Amino acid sequence: MSVIVEQLTKRFTTGGTPAVSDVSFHAPSGAITTLLGPSGAGKSTLLRLIAGLELPDSGSVRIEGIDCTHLPVQQRGIGVVFQSYALFKHMTVRQNIAFGLETRRLPRADVEARVDEMLRLIQLEDLGKRYPTQLSGGQRQRVAFARALAIRPKLLLLDEPFGALDSRVRVELREWLHSLHEQTGVTTLLVTHDQEEALEISQHVVVLSEGRVAQAGPPEDIYDRPATPFVASFVGGTSVLRGHVRSGRAEVGTLVVQAPNSAREGEAVHAFVRPHDIKLAKPPQGTSEPVTGRVERLKSVGGYVKVLLKLPTGETVTVEVPRSEFENLGVVEGDRVHADVRTATVFLGDFAI
Ligand code: ADP
């Protein structure tokens, strides 16, 4: 039950920049695959092409081995959930869930049994008679999932399904979707711009940038081994520092990181440093030894403290220090500090980001 997309291209204006450009990827059977990228990267267009809501200029979509590129939406065997709850307001929860089944002219008893099953699956057994306006945002979105799943789709397509919800409900529903997927095992494609959501929920991630695939692979690969500067900067809240190779190491401002093996002396580098991969230390009082930088700003964010470190080059680096470590560190704004980079992703060459 996999999805194979090959060389898909879609332009909305003749001769214009394609919204989706020569995109190929494979969404494995039974897994959640995320299409991750910033706004305008082409994620929704790609999902709509797979759903059959848009037609491609070229390329193909295969679902379960069947070429669906030119099949109408209804014949693709898919369920779709959008960001805005596209529930029918004049219908109860039960009627909403039954909708797709009734258009397929199933016997009444089968429809009722399937709706009951779906209500149990989304844990809203007692709310079947309510109307969408009588539900919370999270509950409405669960009904939208039940409606999409009722028809036993081969493929579930989710376009920013939690985008309209507040952050607490978002996180709750993310976990809920994880267990829902464990129960149903349906092959799922999820569009999101939220890298945390993508890394947490999916087994496979396709990162998109300007209509193209920047990298595809398991979440750990995307996070630990970003293939391009774009992926390195988009995933993980990194700071980007410029510098040069000196004696086999990359010197970026007052920080030193490991250079790639192929680095040549004097070559330009960009280092992408994650906020939790930097260790700060306060120099002993009264010493005037050189330091890495100065603490420009401190901001406590829940369980950690965000430190904005200003380097002598004028560049700033964001560092995240767990609250317990921060108390031992004992720094205040304006302090001069040492900083050690535990690990960084380094790309050779001079380029714009
Ligand atoms: P994303 O989902 O990653 O935010 P979209 O797929 O919505 O990106 O959009 C990709 C590009 O295609 C954007 O430049 C957007 O303006 C353009 N686009 C999307 N839909 C249409 C449309 N119906 N008509 C014209 N341009 C569109």
Side-chain angles (χ1 to χ4, degrees):
M1 299 214 193
S2 67
V3 181
I4 298 171
V5 167
E6 275 178 349
Q7 297 182 304
L8 217 50
T9 294
K10 171 73 183 174
R11 281 186 174 82
F12 286 104
T13 49
T14 346
T17 318
V20 169
S21 183
D22 197 25
V23 165
S24 302
F25 72 88
H26 175 201
S29 173
I32 300 183
T33 295
T34 304
L35 304 177
L36 173 69
S39 174
K43 308 181 293 293
S44 291
T45 304
L46 188 52
L47 203 76
R48 292 173 64 81
L49 288 166
I50 295 166
L53 297 164
E54 299 282 357
L55 278 180
D57 299 345
S58 56
S60 67
V61 177
R62 294 176 78 79
I63 301 174
E64 262 192 89
I66 298 166
D67 187 347
C68 293
T69 319
H70 297 101
L71 275 188
V73 188
Q74 316 81 267
Q75 289 177 25
R76 295 193 183 201
I78 51 165
V80 188
V81 178
F82 294 106
Q83 173 174 345
S84 53
Y85 341 95
L87 298 179
F88 304 115
K89 290 197 178 64
H90 61 287
M91 289 186 190
T92 63
V93 166
R94 286 196 76 89
Q95 288 165 338
N96 264 285
I97 298 174
F99 182 77
L101 301 167
E102 278 167 354
T103 57
R104 282 169 173 74
R105 301 184 195 287
L106 287 182
R108 186 82 246 149
D110 292 357
V111 172
E112 293 302 326
R114 182 69 178 154
V115 171
D116 285 335
E117 193 185 334
M118 288 296 104
L119 282 170
R120 278 196 299 278
L121 184 72
I122 60 166
Q123 295 146 353
L124 293 181
E125 291 101 317
D126 300 333
L127 303 186
K129 294 208 175 80
R130 290 219 187 152
Y131 286 89
T133 49
Q134 299 170 311
L135 301 176
S136 71
Q139 288 171 335
R140 268 183 252 173
Q141 211 52 339
R142 275 151 65 182
V143 175
F145 273 86
R147 193 179 58 178
L149 287 167
I151 58 161
R152 301 180 201 277
K154 289 185 281 188
L155 173 66
L156 185 61
L157 301 178
L158 311 173
D159 194 349
E160 300 265 7
F162 312 134
L165 303 168
D166 66 58
S167 62
R168 189 180 59 83
V169 180
R170 241 185 117 99
V171 172
E172 266 173 32
L173 277 199
R174 203 188 282 172
E175 276 159 27
W176 174 80
L177 174 59
H178 186 77
S179 67
L180 181 81
H181 181 258
E182 280 186 340
Q183 291 173 65
T184 62
V186 60
T187 308
T188 301
L189 264 177
L190 166 76
V191 158
T192 184
H193 64 273
D194 182 337
Q195 45 130 338
E196 201 177 293
E197 191 164 290
L199 296 176
E200 186 176 324
I201 220 170
S202 45
Q203 290 86 51
H204 192 69
V205 180
V206 179
V207 185
L208 291 167
S209 165
E210 298 179 351
R212 292 179 180 274
V213 175
Q215 187 173 359
E220 310 80 59
D221 274 11
I222 304 287
Y223 191 82
D224 294 334
R225 286 174 287 283
T228 67
F230 168 79
V231 179
S233 62
F234 186 66
V235 177
T238 49
S239 300
V240 186
L241 297 168
R242 286 155 213 275
H244 291 90
V245 177
R246 301 259 177 263
S247 315
R249 297 188 309 171
E251 287 184 11
V252 287
T254 38
L255 289 165
V256 180
V257 297
Q258 201 175 345
N261 291 337
S262 58
R264 284 176 282 110
E265 182 69 11
E267 200 169 358
V269 290
H270 283 72
F272 294 77
V273 189
R274 297 246 165 77
H276 49 262
D277 285 333
I278 301 179
K279 190 156 180 57
L280 298 179
K282 212 171 151 174
Q285 246 180 355
T287 57
S288 57
E289 60 183 270
V291 290
T292 316
R294 198 172 54 80
V295 175
E296 175 106 328
R297 194 147 33 88
L298 291 173
K299 185 98 192 86
S300 186
V301 190
Y304 65 91
V305 177
K306 215 172 190 171
V307 181
L308 203 64
L309 181 66
K310 187 144 191 175
L311 305 187
T313 52
E315 290 170 303
T316 50
V317 184
T318 305
V319 187
E320 283 171 13
V321 187
R323 276 281 274 281
S324 51
E325 260 179 53
F326 182 79
E327 277 147 30
N328 295 334
L329 190 64
V331 297
V332 293
E333 284 179 4
D335 274 357
R336 299 160 68 251
V337 287
H338 291 298
D340 268 325
V341 179
R342 293 188 192 100
T343 173
T345 304
V346 176
F347 289 96
L348 296 171
D350 206 2
F351 47 81
I353 294 160

